[in-house]
Amino acid sequence: MLSLGIEGTAHTVGVGIVDDTSKILANVYEMVKPAKGGIHPREAANHHAERVVPLIRRASDVARVDLQDIDIVAFSQGPGLGPCLRTVATAARALSLSLGAPIVGVNHCVAHLEIGRAVSGCKDPVLLYVSGGNTQVIAFARGRYRVFGETLDIGVGNMLDKFAREAGHGFPGGPILERAAKEGGKLLPLPYSVKGMDVAFSGLLTAALNLLKKGERFQDLAFSVQETAFAMLCEVTERAMAHIEKDEVLLGGGVARNLRLRGMVDRMARDRGARMFVPPGELCIDNGAMIAWTGLLMHRAGVRMSVEDTVVDQRFRTDEVDVAWR
Ligand code: AMP
Ligand code: MG
């Protein structure tokens, strides 16, 4: 069985093809890089509309699979930016109808978790999902993926991107800060905002920008932003692991590429006799393969959708998904 998945919740449009053993046959993507400022939803959607068909062709070439042999067409139904979601949903509907293959709408956050389970060997992890727009601590409990903690304002990736941008650097900011942090070492005081199981980053962002204006070095601030934000994430992840007694932690989302975050989570996990798992980088970021794989799991579990069921949901909650395949 072959599943083709189309991802397009935000800045990345991607197409992946996987088989029913979770082998990834193709995983190609393109990302909007705004010349200036942040992502504009309409511009990103236009980019996705232009690139999605060539990406579908490229995925079929890379996988050496004829599109006629695709059994399932999956797409990212939410959460995400409305215009982007509608664009990829339209592409998925058209492909599904033209191939006569069933269509499955997939929750993007659940897909990050499922691809991690499939490729990294963990069985029942707490997922620390850290991306541009999302920051959530997710785990399986009583038939659903439940959100144990999340950001109360912006995603951690957005915070890193905004800090880098305001400091005059390019996009994405995360890798720029990671490099700069290696040349920093002075830990500057920044707000550490953990509220119960939730975190908040906008106060930290404002404080870091103020310190930059006051003349603190960008490298020291990059270091301090990482140390503070990642410590907050470790704290809530550890509390979730303790509370629901899980001994695996999985990283997902673009920020999971960060080696300092990995080091801190790994240390936390080991200290409590648990293990950390990280999917390869191209499966951490937004990608079509994770959508294809989750769509396949859903289809195998009997999930069927009519075109009417494929309306996108910008605020699609992780815990709305009935996890019929577990
Ligand atoms: P996603 O939204 O999951 O596609 O991930 C994109 C986010 O990941 C952006 O906010 C990037 O700045 C961030 N990111 C990518 N690489 C790194 C890195 N090495 N360190 C920190 N953040 C990163
Ligand atoms: Mg994502």
Side-chain angles (χ1 to χ4, degrees):
M1 193 181 264
L2 293 174
S3 175
L4 180 147
I6 311 177
E7 157 63 34
T9 54
H11 44 62
T12 301
V13 56
V15 178
I17 299 177
V18 304
D19 72 9
D20 48 9
T21 65
S22 77
K23 185 164 172 215
I24 292 154
L25 306 175
N27 192 29
V28 295
Y29 55 87
E30 285 178 39
M31 193 174 168
V32 210
K33 288 209 175 169
K36 201 166 139 265
I39 300 163
H40 189 290
R42 190 68 255 164
E43 278 168 24
N46 290 343
H47 166 269
H48 297 358
E50 265 176 33
R51 301 313 304 157
V52 70
V53 173
L55 281 167
I56 291 170
R57 295 222 172 87
R58 193 157 12 121
S60 122
D61 288 346
V62 171
R64 299 213 177 117
V65 162
D66 195 328
L67 285 177
Q68 294 300 332
D69 296 331
I70 295 294
D71 299 294
I72 300 159
V73 175
F75 73 100
S76 54
Q77 198 167 9
L81 305 171
C84 301
L85 292 172
R86 287 192 289 276
T87 300
V88 293
T90 305
R93 286 180 203 120
L95 186 65
S96 152
L97 289 171
S98 75
L99 299 177
I103 185 165
V104 194
V106 171
N107 179 291
H108 174 93
C109 308
V110 169
H112 273 291
L113 199 144
E114 286 303 346
I115 198 67
R117 284 212 308 144
V119 303
S120 66
C122 55
K123 294 205 165 52
D124 186 20
V126 168
L127 170 71
L128 173 58
Y129 170 39
V130 278
S131 71
N134 297 295
T135 298
Q136 293 188 329
V137 177
I138 303 170
F140 187 73
R142 289 179 291 115
R144 288 188 184 244
Y145 285 120
R146 301 188 189 267
V147 178
F148 284 85
E150 64 190 316
T151 178
L152 298 171
D153 46 36
I154 52 177
V156 63
N158 276 353
M159 182 274 289
L160 301 173
D161 293 340
K162 280 189 185 161
F163 178 67
R165 189 173 77 224
E166 301 279 319
H169 296 271
F171 177 86
I176 295 169
L177 293 191
E178 182 171 19
R179 257 176 273 127
K182 289 196 189 117
E183 288 150 34
K186 181 169 155 200
L187 187 64
L188 297 155
L190 292 171
Y192 182 96
S193 314
V194 172
K195 296 171 189 180
M197 291 297 286
D198 296 322
V199 290
F201 295 110
S202 52
L204 190 159
L205 174 63
T206 309
L209 288 171
N210 283 339
L211 288 173
L212 188 69
K213 278 195 206 110
K214 285 194 183 133
E216 294 291 351
R217 285 173 70 230
F218 176 67
Q219 291 87 337
D220 289 330
L221 278 162
F223 172 78
S224 307
V225 164
Q226 284 200 158
E227 294 302 303
T228 310
F230 297 168
M232 288 159 51
L233 295 170
C234 282
E235 181 184 331
V236 291
T237 306
E238 176 164 29
R239 204 173 304 127
M241 292 172 75
H243 180 64
I244 44 179
E245 298 180 348
K246 307 246 183 200
D247 57 7
E248 297 174 328
V249 55
L250 172 69
L251 294 183
V255 183
R257 289 185 151 184
N258 188 289
L259 295 183
R260 178 59 185 149
L261 176 66
R262 291 183 191 187
M264 287 169 76
V265 173
D266 185 49
R267 173 75 195 273
M268 175 276 282
R270 276 182 219 221
D271 280 354
R272 45 181 305 106
R275 275 182 73 196
M276 177 186 74
F277 297 82
V278 192
E282 66 277 17
L283 295 175
C284 275
I285 57 169
D286 291 351
N287 67 90
M290 70 179 189
I291 301 297
W293 173 242
T294 309
L296 193 148
L297 289 174
M298 292 171 73
H299 182 85
R300 268 202 319 218
V303 176
R304 299 292 180 272
M305 289 187 185
S306 64
V307 170
E308 290 74 44
D309 299 325
T310 63
V311 175
V312 302
D313 183 356
Q314 290 186 57
R315 300 187 183 281
F316 195 174
R317 296 277 314 172
T318 304
D319 47 19
E320 278 172 47
V321 180
D322 178 15
V323 184
W325 59 93
R326 276 190 67 168

